[in-house]
Amino acid sequence: MTVSLILEHLFLVLAACILSIVIGLPLGILAYVYPKARAVILRVVDLLQTIPALALLGILMVFMGAGKPTVIVGITLYSLLPIVRNTCLGLEEVDPGVREAARGMGMSKAYRVLRVEFPLAFPTVFTGIRIAVVGAIGTAVFAAFVGGGGLGSVITRGIRVQDLGMILAGTGALMVIAVLLDFCMSRFEAAMEKTNGGGKKMWLPVGLLLAAFLCLLPFNIKTGGDTELRLYDGDYSEPQLVHRMIKMVVEEHTDLTVTIRDQMSQVNNFKAMTGANASCDMMGTYDGTVLTTFLHLDTSDVPEGMTLREFATKEVKEQYDMRLLQPLGFNNTYAIGVPQELADQYNIETISDLIPLAPQLRFGAEHDFFTLEGNAKYGPFVEFYGLQFKETYPVDVSLKYAAAESGTFDVTMVFATDGLNRKTGLKILEDDRHFFPDYIGGILVREDVFERYAEEAPNLEEVLNMLAGAFTTEDMVDMTYQVDVEGRSLDDVAREALVSRGLIAG
């Protein structure tokens, strides 16, 4: 965890809170002034609050793409309820005698509401703002799932690699931020209640939020020059390693610089590469992922006489004008793992060896493996092998290894190059009937990148292909083990691998 991640998290929270105040206060006032509109306004903000935060961000991402703007809008919508409701409630609770006195003095309705009633209602209004700010700190954790950055990436990574220290560090930072902000706002709220609101001082905390946001703005605006290649970081160690190796070889052998932005899933990363206003130039991925996840095709669609990679390369070029470069060498395919003790007890070496044992075994994997999309999923897998497991356990991908290690299930789907397989003590079974397709690593690049940098880096494709065939599956297992289990930094592991292969200078 770094200071930059904390500042990034604060930036998301403050930006969303300022927007929610700007939108929520007028909506609350409208709900108070126009009783007919009140039911509609309050029902809408109520409905927004019922949508799970991650689902709301996912819906917004469909329309806005991944990144910080999506996160800020999502948290803003999620923060409206306490502000709108408390604004309306505070105005309703103003002493009727005050309203009558203001009306008797000839004040217009707008002047009366804004200059008399709103200042008196402000202590209640501010309570809503306080709730929204503190709530936004926790909600912003989900930013990591849609490429928004922040402390969520620390917590999710800690859960995945079962690093309690990392989880506590991320959670502790969130708690400190929440406690400090809540303490400052509670002191101001208490002062407002004593003076019954009113005056210019009531805008002081809003001004402080705005000032803090402006201070953080320079740290969160990423600007690149004309020689910048843009990548998004992966959401697990393998693509993160590949992206750092891309950065190192490109900067070593060309005049280009490479910027690695916030973490993003494979699907979101690909979306960030599409369209005229793409925010990403290239990504590390797999030919099987390109075929099944990006192109929504299956291995059964591969024409006779073509390999999966050849077909995926051809289709992604035709449909998206992207180039899948030469294979990197490692195969991160689906694999089936069982605890070593179980394998030794029943002499299990292949997936077929599970057939007579399956009725007494429990199978667990991430939710995605149980979906109906694609041929290489749970349903087709058990049908192909004739497996009938006793129970199935869909779990979050970040919790899978913890569940496997604790004995929640006996058999699980893993990825072949994941170093956590070794840490968890899983034996990878031979896919003796060759059900799972290859997922050979590769670099997917927008075609216009080569045109854009033809002058500065005419050898860009050649430089990127220096990584081709450089790493075996076992090499990648070793590297991810060093990162996820031994705690070595991504940069150190990537640089050491490149230097040892003579791809960059030591």
Side-chain angles (χ1 to χ4, degrees), residues 292-453:
T292 61
T293 304
F294 301 162
L295 301 176
H296 304 291
L297 299 170
D298 280 317
T299 52
S300 58
D301 296 314
V302 179
E304 189 175 347
M306 291 186 74
T307 65
L308 183 153
R309 191 177 193 87
E310 290 170 343
F311 184 59
T313 302
K314 169 180 169 293
E315 290 297 313
V316 79
K317 168 64 177 172
E318 292 177 356
Q319 294 187 37
Y320 292 98
D321 199 26
M322 295 182 190
R323 195 182 304 184
L324 184 59
L325 303 184
Q326 296 176 22
L328 300 179
F330 55 88
N331 183 9
N332 191 19
T333 186
Y334 290 115
I336 300 300
V338 299
Q340 186 64 54
E341 299 82 2
L342 186 69
D344 293 340
Q345 182 181 353
Y346 292 102
N347 194 28
I348 304 171
E349 296 290 339
T350 68
I351 296 177
S352 293
D353 291 337
L354 291 173
I355 296 173
L357 302 171
Q360 55 185 302
L361 299 178
R362 299 158 299 173
F363 184 95
E366 54 260 40
H367 296 280
D368 181 65
F369 190 63
F370 292 96
T371 64
L372 300 178
E373 297 179 1
N375 286 337
K377 295 300 174 74
Y378 179 77
F381 163 64
V382 294
E383 182 180 350
F384 180 83
Y385 268 102
L387 295 165
Q388 294 183 336
F389 290 104
K390 177 183 178 181
E391 292 180 88
T392 57
Y393 290 84
V395 297
D396 185 82
V397 62
S398 60
L399 298 173
K400 179 176 67 177
Y401 283 102
E405 196 165 23
S406 66
T408 303
F409 39 73
D410 310 298
V411 186
T412 186
M413 184 283 294
V414 297
F415 295 104
T417 59
D418 200 329
L420 290 174
N421 298 333
R422 185 184 297 174
K423 174 184 181 293
T424 310
L426 294 176
K427 178 180 177 62
I428 306 303
L429 304 183
E430 178 190 348
D431 183 9
D432 53 310
R433 294 179 58 190
H434 308 290
F435 172 77
F436 293 116
D438 288 338
Y439 279 75
I440 307 297
I443 302 173
L444 186 64
V445 190
R446 284 174 57 95
E447 194 67 47
D448 64 350
V449 169
F450 299 107
E451 300 169 8
R452 196 190 321 154
Y453 299 117

Side-chain angles (χ1 to χ4, degrees), residues 48-117:
L48 288 172
Q49 192 74 18
T50 63
I51 303 173
L54 186 56
L56 180 61
L57 292 177
I59 293 168
L60 289 172
M61 191 179 65
V62 173
F63 301 99
M64 298 180 59
K68 285 183 173 60
T70 296
V71 175
I72 292 170
V73 171
I75 300 175
T76 298
L77 295 175
Y78 221 63
S79 302
L80 287 176
L81 178 61
I83 296 176
V84 174
R85 276 201 171 277
N86 276 46
T87 300
C88 184
L89 177 65
L91 289 168
E92 287 178 332
E93 291 179 341
V94 172
D95 188 342
V98 174
R99 296 195 193 98
E100 289 301 321
R103 190 179 292 113
M105 293 175 65
M107 294 181 185
S108 67
K109 188 172 185 178
Y111 188 92
R112 186 177 73 245
V113 170
L114 296 176
R115 299 300 298 272
V116 178
E117 297 181 45

Side-chain angles (χ1 to χ4, degrees), residues 6 53 64 83 99 107 133 138 168 177 179 183 224 235 245 248 253 263 274 290 299 311 328 380 430 448 463 465:
I6 297 174
M64 298 180 59
I83 296 176
R99 296 195 193 98
M107 294 181 185
V133 171
L168 292 177
I177 293 171
V179 168
F183 175 76
D235 56 352
M245 289 190 281
M248 291 173 188
H253 300 286
Q263 290 186 13
T274 60
V290 172
T299 52
F311 184 59
L328 300 179
E430 178 190 348
D448 64 350
V463 169
N465 277 329

